[in-house]
Amino acid sequence: MAVSSALCIFSLLALVQAQSESQQPKIQLRLAGDKRKHYEGRLEVSYNNEWGTICDDDFSIEAANVACKELGFLGAVAWSPSAKFGQGEGRIWLDNVHCTGREKSLAECPSNGFGVSDCRHSEDVGVICNQKRIPGHRFINTMNNNVETLEERVEEIRIRPISSHLKRIPVTEGYVEIKERGKWRQICDEDWTPLNNRVVCGMYGFPGDKNYNNKAYKSLSMRKKKNYWGFSVNCTGNEAHLSSCRLGKPLEPKRNGTCGRGLPVVVSCVPGRAFAPSSSTGFRKQPLVRLRGGSNIGEGRVEVLKNGVWGTVCDDNWNLRAATVVCRELGFGSAKEALTGAKLGQGMGPVHMNEVECSGFEKSLTDCYFNNDALGCSHEEDAAVRCNIPAMGFQKRIRLSGGRNPYEGRVEVLTEKNGSLVWGTVCSENWGIVEAMVVCRQLGLGFASHAFQETWYWAGDASADNVVMSGVRCSGTEMSLPQCLHHGKHISCPKGGGRFAAGVSCSDTAPDLVLNAQLVEQTTYLEDRPMYALQCALEENCLSSTAKKNDHSSYRRLLRFSSQIHNVGQSDFRPKLGYHAWTWHECHRHYHSIEVFTHYDLLSLNGTKVAEGHKASFCLEDTQCDEGIQKRYVCANFGEQGITVGCWDTYRHDIDCQWIDITDIKPGDYIFQVVINPYYDVAESDYTNNVMKCKCRYDGYRIWTYHCHTDIFDEIRELSDPV
């Protein structure tokens, strides 16, 4: 018995070790049941791809702490016995769980063993976690959100196009076929409904379906032998996948191989605007919803436009139906996942919607029932989605070569040359982080962490050294590199490929900087300051050019304000350059880790720049952090610089260069603009929230600043280009 126990403990330790390595996790936890908040619920565990519950016998706050930390929270507040969050279903996987609180996974805690229990579901344990999340915690979901599955095992489902549609990308129309026991079978159209079409199109990334030319398929089916699947399918229209639908009645094929009306099922789907073959097709409505912070197309934090201001959605009652409404509204298919607890980053500003309830058939999330009162909701409860998107084949036309791991390397693209497809490199001239972002997105590798203009240290494929793409300039929203502006067939690359080919490194996570617009509005004021007190600022180009002509007794009028820059991303914001490359400024006696960290501009109402300033990041540090998050970066004593996830760096109004020199400005109405990280020196998950704008009025003596907001601007890159 002792040997057997030792073997069990050894097996458990081996399991945990396997989890810490790059293998599929053997267990996964989730919070389920009758709950209002994302950080509470019945504790369920998935083992051997089957979800089950945990018995409350011998459960403790230490065990709850381990479970909550494994779920990405800072710890547990309490735990609840006797199925407080409702009774679960299926197996009771764990019983008599004993944890010390130091374990990294519930799988490490001694118990009776998986599946060994004498409990009932009336004893299902629940936990209430600390709503604060572990900074940088990576949420990995290896399970889907399906509740019902087909009783028959279905290996695969596809839309098979007819020969005239074979070259169309994406595949939007064809026969619906199911792979069963290694053979592809058609589905009889008896009892097939439009709701089934909706599910098939949704799982393939399309928001809707349409009618098709029935004559062509009828003629084709009469000439070919059919091999029908033996069941009908009964969908409600809200399923994320056909395998989530219920089985209908068994079908008996006729002697001639036909069934019912004698036709196999055909669907014709409507692609979203981003995936449509031309701009004349696809969904075109401008939505009131957007996704932010996702590493791939079709995923992100859900934000809603209300009264001209973007805000987030609280995750109370957030589910697949609501998530699917968002996905279809944005031109994607059904939702794969409805994410809670700000798993794709925290937003800023108001929380517009709470306790959203959708039927699944609404045209917009704003058509669903919701509670306007978001009292008790914080941005740690921001809802997010992952949507099904069409298979565009983008990943097959690009690769990274020569890197130490699959996430880095020289960029090589597949292009047509002299009638054949060849691999080649991309010219690195003007290659930057925005272009690298598009590459990582196209490959499905998340965000870009670095862009490289020299790749001699990566031994790529020698046969692909020739440059096949040059002049690449991306906006950052493209799904693939060929969608960016480039020279086309007329290659121009003075340095050539080889060692000067473009390269990237990708990452699952990225920082995201957002300026606190409200603080800017509250702290803006004017100061007249003598030139003799501005000599260091003059040396660092923080004054307008006319200041160089002034004598020491003259004054400059400065528009001063405080700025508070939050990192709401999923990884720390660090300077691009290390200590060795920082620039020493003798006058202010400090180092600059990023020479231009922010642009401060005053614009006319038509967008013309009339006054400007800039701020070098002489000190990137964690001024303050959210509760439960430790400061990591301090500037004192030449310390490490950066901004931790969940922290912010504050530049007070009373420090040098924290202003715009408006001495030469005439009274009138203007736009006050701040751009963070204007030259994209450091990778971020979202650059569209790096711009803050305010309206302001100057009467020659006083200034009023109002309606400050951080919003999406399509022309950020043009606004921030060097003048």
Side-chain angles (χ1 to χ4, degrees):
M1 182 65 73
V3 174
S4 175
S5 299
L7 286 174
C8 287
I9 294 171
F10 177 77
S11 299
L12 197 58
L13 290 173
L15 174 62
V16 175
Q17 185 177 1
Q19 281 184 255
S20 64
E21 297 170 0
S22 59
Q23 298 180 3
Q24 288 293 327
K26 297 299 182 184
I27 74 164
Q28 185 168 314
L29 301 181
R30 71 180 180 189
L31 299 179
D34 304 326
K35 61 196 184 84
R36 282 177 50 85
K37 299 293 185 179
H38 72 278
Y39 50 82
E40 66 181 17
R42 181 176 61 249
L43 186 58
E44 295 190 350
V45 59
S46 173
Y47 179 70
N48 283 343
N49 293 319
E50 183 180 349
W51 284 104
T53 63
I54 298 173
C55 183
D56 59 15
D57 290 354
D58 293 338
F59 204 81
S60 64
I61 191 64
E62 287 78 17
N65 266 315
V66 172
C68 288
K69 288 178 181 178
E70 190 170 357
L71 286 163
F73 300 98
L74 287 176
V77 176
W79 66 278
S80 302
S82 306
K84 177 186 175 182
F85 295 101
Q87 296 185 23
E89 297 178 348
R91 303 281 294 272
I92 297 177
W93 276 126
L94 292 172
D95 188 9
N96 297 115
V97 179
H98 296 91
C99 301
T100 65
R102 294 188 293 271
E103 296 85 355
K104 293 183 179 179
S105 168
L106 213 59
E108 294 183 42
C109 300
S111 69
N112 290 353
F114 285 98
V116 182
S117 174
D118 59 358
C119 296
R120 296 181 179 182
H121 283 297
S122 59
E123 300 172 80
D124 287 342
V125 76
V127 295
I128 302 172
C129 299
N130 186 321
Q131 61 180 297
K132 302 290 183 181
R133 296 196 65 83
I134 298 171
H137 177 79
R138 284 184 56 196
F139 172 72
I140 302 172
N141 191 357
T142 60
M143 309 294 294
N144 58 35
N145 284 346
N146 298 337
V147 177
E148 301 169 331
T149 56
L150 289 173
E151 295 171 18
E152 283 264 312
R153 180 163 180 78
V154 175
E155 299 168 33
E156 200 175 340
I157 300 169
R158 72 180 181 185
I159 300 176
R160 181 173 63 84
I162 59 177
S163 57
S164 60
H165 294 177
L166 282 175
K167 293 186 178 180
R168 294 185 182 178
I169 297 177
V171 175
T172 59
E173 183 177 301
Y175 294 108
V176 179
E177 296 186 339
I178 286 180
K179 195 174 187 180
E180 180 191 28
R181 299 185 182 93
K183 291 184 178 181
W184 286 104
R185 303 178 189 274
Q186 290 142 355
I187 302 176
C188 178
D189 62 3
E190 186 176 328
D191 296 330
W192 187 265
T193 69
L195 294 177
N196 296 359
N197 287 342
R198 173 182 167 88
V199 172
V200 172
C201 290
M203 64 184 269
Y204 276 98
F206 304 113
D209 64 288
K210 61 182 177 66
N211 295 328
Y212 58 92
N213 183 0
N214 190 45
K215 292 181 180 179
Y217 288 97
K218 188 172 184 179
S219 173
L220 192 63
S221 67
M222 292 178 66
R223 298 197 303 267
K224 291 194 174 184
K225 183 179 179 181
K226 289 163 284 298
N227 183 14
Y228 284 108
W229 191 50
F231 295 88
S232 62
V233 181
N234 186 8
C235 301
T236 66
N238 277 321
E239 295 85 356
H241 196 277
L242 196 67
S243 64
S244 301
C245 300
R246 292 187 182 275
L247 275 179
K249 64 183 180 181
L251 298 177
E252 296 182 7
K254 297 182 179 180
R255 291 180 182 177
N256 60 1
T258 62
C259 71
R261 287 166 284 174
L263 290 176
V265 168
V266 174
V267 297
S268 183
C269 304
V270 180
R273 188 176 184 184
F275 305 97
S278 67
S279 59
S280 61
T281 59
F283 280 39
R284 302 177 62 83
K285 182 183 175 184
Q286 186 66 32
L288 299 175
V289 177
R290 68 184 185 186
L291 301 181
R292 287 289 175 268
S295 60
N296 295 303
I297 296 294
E299 70 174 42
R301 178 179 61 255
V302 180
E303 297 187 354
V304 181
L305 185 64
K306 181 180 178 182
N307 298 328
V309 178
W310 287 99
T312 61
V313 177
C314 187
D315 63 10
D316 291 358
N317 301 336
W318 187 248
N319 58 24
L320 270 181
R321 289 190 179 187
T324 290
V325 171
V326 170
C327 291
R328 292 185 187 273
E329 181 179 0
L330 293 172
F332 305 115
S334 52
K336 291 189 291 186
E337 293 179 68
L339 303 174
T340 58
K343 291 192 176 75
L344 294 184
Q346 296 182 27
M348 294 279 285
V351 178
H352 282 327
M353 301 176 77
N354 183 24
E355 297 177 345
V356 179
E357 293 182 15
C358 303
S359 69
F361 292 89
E362 292 86 354
K363 295 287 181 66
S364 171
L365 188 68
T366 56
D367 296 333
C368 299
Y369 168 82
F370 64 93
N371 189 345
N372 277 306
D373 184 6
L375 187 67
C377 286
S378 68
H379 286 298
E380 291 165 349
E381 300 173 76
D382 285 344
V385 299
R386 286 197 176 106
C387 307
N388 286 311
I389 63 171
M392 302 295 292
F394 290 143
Q395 295 181 358
K396 298 177 181 178
R397 304 186 68 88
I398 193 168
R399 67 188 183 190
L400 300 183
S401 182
R404 297 163 296 179
N405 58 62
Y407 281 76
E408 68 177 20
R410 185 175 77 174
V411 179
E412 297 177 359
V413 295
L414 188 63
T415 187
E416 189 173 336
K417 189 174 183 181
N418 299 326
S420 60
L421 293 173
V422 297
W423 287 98
T425 57
V426 178
C427 184
S428 64
E429 189 174 5
N430 297 321
W431 182 260
I433 197 70
V434 178
E435 289 71 33
M437 280 285 187
V438 175
V439 170
C440 294
R441 181 183 300 124
Q442 184 177 351
L443 286 164
L445 296 178
F447 306 103
S449 53
H450 294 93
F452 301 94
Q453 294 189 352
E454 289 189 31
T455 51
W456 53 268
Y457 34 80
W458 286 329
D461 189 342
S463 64
D465 278 349
N466 291 333
V467 175
V468 296
M469 185 179 263
S470 64
V472 179
R473 184 173 174 82
C474 305
S475 68
T477 60
E478 297 86 353
M479 291 185 290
S480 68
L481 208 59
Q483 293 178 353
C484 301
L485 294 173
H486 59 95
H487 290 155
K489 295 182 180 180
H490 304 286
I491 305 299
S492 174
C493 189
K495 292 183 178 180
R499 65 175 292 169
F500 294 107
V504 302
S505 63
C506 306
S507 172
D508 290 327
T509 60
D512 185 17
L513 299 186
V514 181
L515 184 68
N516 185 336
Q518 186 178 7
L519 182 68
V520 173
E521 186 171 327
Q522 293 171 346
T523 58
T524 306
Y525 66 97
L526 295 180
E527 180 194 11
D528 290 336
R529 195 168 179 83
M531 276 299 300
Y532 66 77
L534 293 171
Q535 291 309 299
C536 283
L538 185 64
E539 282 187 29
E540 295 191 6
N541 297 315
C542 296
L543 302 174
S544 64
S545 57
T546 58
K548 297 178 181 178
K549 303 174 183 177
N550 292 142
D551 57 41
H552 284 201
S553 61
S554 61
Y555 284 75
R556 305 299 297 182
R557 177 157 291 179
L558 307 176
L559 171 59
R560 283 188 172 274
F561 57 95
S562 295
S563 65
Q564 189 181 89
I565 300 170
H566 293 245
N567 182 1
V568 298
Q570 293 181 290
S571 63
D572 294 354
F573 184 91
R574 300 296 310 281
K576 178 181 179 180
L577 303 174
Y579 287 124
H580 64 284
W582 292 1
T583 305
W584 174 256
H585 282 250
E586 183 65 31
C587 193
H588 278 134
R589 306 289 297 175
H590 58 236
Y591 284 94
H592 288 181
S593 55
I594 301 177
E595 192 58 36
V596 179
F597 181 49
T598 50
H599 273 171
Y600 304 147
D601 299 312
L602 200 64
L603 311 176
S604 65
L605 296 182
N606 65 9
T608 304
K609 191 181 295 186
V610 295
E612 63 182 292
H614 79 272
K615 189 70 180 176
S617 68
F618 65 85
C619 175
L620 271 181
E621 68 175 1
D622 297 328
T623 307
Q624 285 181 283
C625 299
D626 288 329
E627 183 184 349
I629 298 177
Q630 297 294 321
K631 296 180 181 180
R632 296 182 184 176
Y633 305 107
V634 180
C635 293
N637 302 319
F638 198 43
E640 288 281 355
Q641 291 196 22
I643 306 176
T644 304
V645 177
C647 300
W648 55 91
D649 187 8
T650 301
Y651 288 91
R652 285 175 50 87
H653 56 84
D654 53 1
I655 63 175
D656 250 9
C657 298
Q658 191 60 33
W659 63 58
I660 298 177
D661 183 354
I662 64 167
T663 306
D664 307 316
I665 301 303
K666 297 178 180 178
D669 291 321
Y670 297 95
I671 297 170
F672 173 29
Q673 175 179 281
V674 178
V675 185
I676 309 169
N677 193 15
Y679 301 143
Y680 308 100
D681 287 316
V682 179
E684 293 186 55
S685 61
D686 186 2
Y687 289 111
T688 62
N689 56 14
N690 282 27
V691 179
M692 186 223 67
K693 288 189 176 183
C694 306
K695 293 181 179 179
C696 63
R697 174 166 291 181
Y698 175 51
D699 67 358
Y701 305 96
R702 296 164 296 177
I703 196 161
W704 292 267
T705 306
Y706 56 100
H707 290 172
C708 293
H709 63 281
T710 302
D711 213 334
I712 180 170
F713 296 97
D714 294 330
E715 305 300 327
I716 291 176
R717 191 163 188 174
E718 291 182 13
L719 289 170
S720 59
D721 275 345
V723 178

